[in-house]
Amino acid sequence: KSITSGTVKITGGTVEAYGERGAGIGSGYGSNANMDITISGGHVIAKCVSEKMQGAGIGGGAYNWGGGDFSGTVKITGGTVEAYGGGYKLETRNGYAGTAGIGGSSGGDMTGTVIISGGSVTAEGKYGGAAIGAGSRDQNNGGACSGTIRITGGNLFLKIHNPDSDLDQANVIGG
């Protein structure tokens, strides 16, 4: 597994970031994310748009059977942020591959830090992924949240999107 590292700072404007196999903002397919992402203004939409891959909205990219971990920092102090994870029902394994809106991808752990102190944040996890935290477990790998999630301000709209009634619900925050 490779590691994507670096710094992303968004201070204003409109940013639309769509990942096909990776995160909207974060690592690409097959890579863990150890990045510092700061959003202090503007309107940011970050999402995994593929119906058959599972990157986080902000965080780890898709990686089958473990991987897609997020160990960096996301700091949101202002602006409007929308982060939508990807995911789908696995036809061959009778399971699910879901990601966090902010955090890990399917099978991805969240060991990083998410700090929200302002702004308007919408985060949606999918198919067992948390809105903020870890992705769903994949082949008994990942899906754990041992990182820090600190919310001291802002307006939050957190959602879990699990269209199948037989799917165990994930935590909205955590993993």
Side-chain angles (χ1 to χ4, degrees):
K1 300 174 203 167
S2 64
I3 296 176
T4 300
S5 60
T7 301
V8 175
K9 290 185 180 182
I10 300 171
T11 60
T14 300
V15 176
E16 296 183 29
Y18 302 109
E20 177 65 29
R21 296 177 80 186
I25 298 173
S27 64
Y29 177 77
S31 183
N32 294 328
N34 183 11
M35 305 178 70
D36 291 318
I37 301 166
T38 301
I39 301 170
S40 59
H43 185 181
V44 177
I45 301 169
K47 68 190 306 186
C48 177
V49 295
S50 174
E51 288 299 315
K52 292 292 183 181
M53 292 313 271
Q54 48 296 25
I58 299 174
Y63 193 90
N64 292 328
W65 303 289
D69 300 336
F70 182 75
S71 59
T73 300
V74 174
K75 185 175 182 182
I76 301 170
T77 61
T80 300
V81 178
E82 300 176 47
Y84 303 98
Y88 64 103
K89 182 175 183 174
L90 303 170
E91 302 300 327
T92 59
R93 295 189 307 218
N94 294 324
Y96 301 88
T99 67
I102 300 173
S105 74
S106 175
D109 294 329
M110 206 295 277
T111 59
T113 301
V114 176
I115 300 169
I116 300 171
S117 61
S120 175
V121 179
T122 299
E124 179 180 292
K126 207 166 187 184
Y127 282 106
I132 301 174
S136 64
R137 289 185 58 78
D138 183 19
Q139 295 292 304
N140 296 317
N141 293 303
C145 181
S146 60
T148 300
I149 300 169
R150 185 173 34 220
I151 301 167
T152 61
N155 296 308
L156 274 70
F157 307 94
L158 307 178
K159 179 181 177 186
I160 303 298
H161 178 73
N162 296 326
D164 294 335
S165 62
D166 63 333
L167 176 62
D168 291 337
Q169 294 295 315
N171 293 326
V172 174
I173 297 176

